[in-house]
């Protein structure tokens, strides 16, 4: 990178909470934030926003007649974006860009509108404008009165980190000096759950089986358990936004000092090689000239699937050899929030840098670390081996 990029504010809403102190407190505890609920006609594990946040989303929806027709994925983004802009101190005169993505987009509204179409043979007037992917960034830009570019995209689970990549390009080009990036996801709908079950990657842990007391029962998602025999992905809802500025800003929470990306050839629609060549390439690119031993921790993508977790670990082994950094993930605790997950991982990385504390994972044994945390890498990958690695420094 020609120059570092400052992260001057970050805000998220998820089952972990809605402020960085609250989120950090959640990470200090060994319990997960997954609950079982009926989605459609089946009982499954999922990760929901706390009731207090749901009330805020509901109030936002009712605050403007135009917002009443928006999908939760857009409302989550609006709420998180308002909070991060308040932290940053930016206003409309800042002329910042907006790049917010989502893996699934307006899933809830799409299912609602399609069900009505199958019943009546007609589509609602607002079915198209409220379900297009671009309405996330557009509504956020409208709400914040931003005059900069408003960009949306979907690159499945690496969506939020691709927003970071795009913002870095804009910032280093000199076209703008501030960018709001993020991801938002509201995937807890019957069809979305069914899609993951059809891929045979969703957790089959019975919600009523916890009383058996086995380790796997205690944790419905076994993300980063490299010995598991069954897939254990659990979906979660949430959004995360970050404010990026060119150069080293005095109020920076952390600096982006390296970016990497790679896509590997597809064998099938959800393929990734056994040693995740895409991650090997993206991590090497993010390292640049930095010696791999300088990376103190990696926040893994680790979706909770057998192949996904293990292939990423093998990629780390190949890149870092005998000096594997401390490894962490948050999906066992908060579930997989698809397009928002990358920035939730960035949040965990920034918190570890801020508090100089390594956050452990229940299933993965590694030696305790006392070394100061100076550099943390964050990984994300989407269906088809579309990987991104971001290197953060204190």
């Amino acid at each position: 990178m020609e120059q570092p990029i400052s992260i001057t504010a970050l805000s998220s809403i998820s089952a972990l909470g809605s402020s960085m102190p609250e989120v950090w407190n959640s990470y200090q505890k060994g319990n997960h934030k997954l609950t079982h609920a009926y989605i459609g006609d089946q009982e499954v594990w999922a990760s929901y926003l706390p009731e207090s946040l749901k009330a805020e989303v509901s109030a936002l929806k009712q605050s403007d007649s135009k917002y009443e027709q928006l999908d939760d994925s857009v409302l989550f983004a609006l709420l998180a974006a308002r909070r991060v802009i308040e932290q940053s101190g930016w206003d409309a005169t800042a002329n910042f860009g907006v790049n917010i993505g989502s893996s699934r987009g307006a899933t809830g509204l799409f299912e609602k509108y399609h069900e009505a179409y199958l019943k009546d043979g007609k589509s609602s007037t607002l079915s198209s404008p409220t379900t297009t992917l671009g309405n996330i960034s557009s509504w956020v830009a409208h709400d914040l009165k931003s005059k900069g570019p408003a960009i949306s995209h979907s690159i499945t689970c690496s969506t939020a980190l691709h927003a970071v990549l795009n913002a870095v390009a804009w910032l280093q080009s000199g076209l703008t000096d501030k960018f709001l990036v993020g991801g938002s996801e509201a995937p807890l709908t019957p069809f979305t759950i069914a899609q993951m079950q059809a891929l045979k990657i969703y957790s089959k842990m019975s919600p009523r089986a916890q009383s058996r007391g086995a380790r796997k029962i205690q944790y419905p998602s076994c993300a980063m358990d490299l010995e598991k025999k069954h897939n254990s992905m659990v979906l979660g809802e949430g959004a995360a936004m970050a404010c990026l500025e060119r150069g080293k800003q005095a109020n920076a929470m952390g600096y982006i000092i390296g970016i990497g990306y790679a896509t590997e050839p597809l064998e099938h629609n959800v393929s990734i090689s056994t040693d995740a060549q895409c991650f090997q390439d993206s991590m090497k690119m993010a390292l640049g000239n930095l010696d791999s031993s300088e990376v103190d921790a990696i926040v893994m993508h680790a979706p909770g699937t057998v192949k996904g977790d293990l292939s990423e670990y093998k990629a780390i082994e190949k890149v870092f050899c005998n000096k594997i950094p401390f490894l962490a993930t948050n999906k066992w605790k908060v579930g997989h929030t698809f397009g928002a997950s990358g920035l939730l991982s960035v949040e965990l990385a920034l918190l570890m840098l801020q508090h100089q504390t390594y956050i452990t994972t229940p299933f993965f044994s590694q030696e305790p670390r006392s070394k100061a945390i100076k550099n943390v890498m964050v990984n994300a990958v989407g269906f088809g081996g579309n990987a991104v690695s971001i290197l953060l420094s204190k």
Side-chain angles (χ1 to χ4, degrees), residues 88-149:
S88 70
W90 294 359
D91 56 29
T93 62
N95 195 28
F96 56 88
V98 176
N99 190 173
I100 303 169
S102 178
S103 175
R104 302 291 157 178
T107 309
L109 278 186
F110 192 91
E111 291 179 32
K112 171 188 169 184
Y113 287 137
H114 189 251
E115 182 180 5
Y117 171 76
L118 292 178
K119 180 181 178 181
D120 303 327
K122 296 181 180 179
S123 179
S124 167
T125 303
L126 294 178
S127 61
S128 176
T130 57
T131 59
T132 55
L133 186 61
N135 83 124
I136 293 184
S137 287
S138 296
W139 278 111
V140 168
H142 160 81
D143 189 67
L144 300 177
K145 298 179 175 57
S146 166
K147 295 180 176 63

Side-chain angles (χ1 to χ4, degrees), residues 14 273 331:
S14 72
S273 55
K331 293 184 180 67

Side-chain angles (χ1 to χ4, degrees), residues 345-364:
S345 294
V346 168
E347 180 179 53
L348 172 55
L350 289 174
L351 284 167
M352 287 198 294
L353 285 166
Q354 176 185 342
H355 293 276
Q356 289 295 295
T357 302
Y358 294 92
I359 297 300
T360 59
T361 301
F363 325 107
F364 187 76

Side-chain angles (χ1 to χ4, degrees), residues 303-355:
T305 63
V306 173
K307 188 173 182 180
D309 293 7
L310 189 56
S311 63
E312 183 179 1
Y313 180 73
K314 288 181 177 179
I316 291 169
E317 282 186 317
K318 290 206 169 185
V319 173
F320 292 89
C321 301
N322 296 324
K323 298 180 180 178
I324 294 179
F326 181 87
L327 303 180
T329 187
N330 55 18
K331 293 184 180 67
W332 67 272
K333 180 181 281 284
V334 73
H336 193 350
T337 53
F338 279 160
S341 64
L343 265 186
L344 287 177
S345 294
V346 168
E347 180 179 53
L348 172 55
L350 289 174
L351 284 167
M352 287 198 294
L353 285 166
Q354 176 185 342
H355 293 276

Side-chain angles (χ1 to χ4, degrees), residues 59-227:
L60 173 61
K61 186 172 186 175
Q62 297 169 24
S63 68
D64 189 316
S65 60
K66 296 187 294 294
Y67 293 174
E68 292 178 358
Q69 303 299 322
L70 298 180
D71 185 74
D72 278 350
S73 60
V74 182
L75 294 170
F76 294 169
L78 286 170
L79 183 59
R82 285 183 177 184
R83 291 179 173 216
V84 80
I85 291 298
E86 183 178 357
Q87 287 181 29
S88 70
W90 294 359
D91 56 29
T93 62
N95 195 28
F96 56 88
V98 176
N99 190 173
I100 303 169
S102 178
S103 175
R104 302 291 157 178
T107 309
L109 278 186
F110 192 91
E111 291 179 32
K112 171 188 169 184
Y113 287 137
H114 189 251
E115 182 180 5
Y117 171 76
L118 292 178
K119 180 181 178 181
D120 303 327
K122 296 181 180 179
S123 179
S124 167
T125 303
L126 294 178
S127 61
S128 176
T130 57
T131 59
T132 55
L133 186 61
N135 83 124
I136 293 184
S137 287
S138 296
W139 278 111
V140 168
H142 160 81
D143 189 67
L144 300 177
K145 298 179 175 57
S146 166
K147 295 180 176 63
I151 306 163
S152 297
H153 65 252
S154 175
I155 311 177
T156 61
C157 307
S158 55
T159 292
L161 292 196
H162 269 283
V164 173
L165 294 182
N166 193 36
V168 168
W170 277 78
L171 292 169
Q172 294 208 330
S173 73
L175 290 173
T176 184
D177 57 5
K178 295 179 174 65
F179 231 99
L180 170 66
V181 299
S184 183
E185 210 71 52
L188 303 181
T189 64
F191 186 52
T192 309
I193 298 293
Q195 290 177 70
M196 299 304 106
Q197 290 173 329
L199 290 170
K200 297 181 172 28
I201 59 176
Y202 210 78
S203 176
K204 292 184 177 180
M205 189 67 62
S206 170
R208 295 188 176 88
Q210 291 187 93
S211 59
R212 297 177 195 168
R215 182 186 68 162
K216 300 293 192 298
I217 303 296
Q218 296 172 8
Y219 299 97
S221 173
C222 297
M224 238 177 87
D225 181 350
L226 303 182
E227 298 178 358

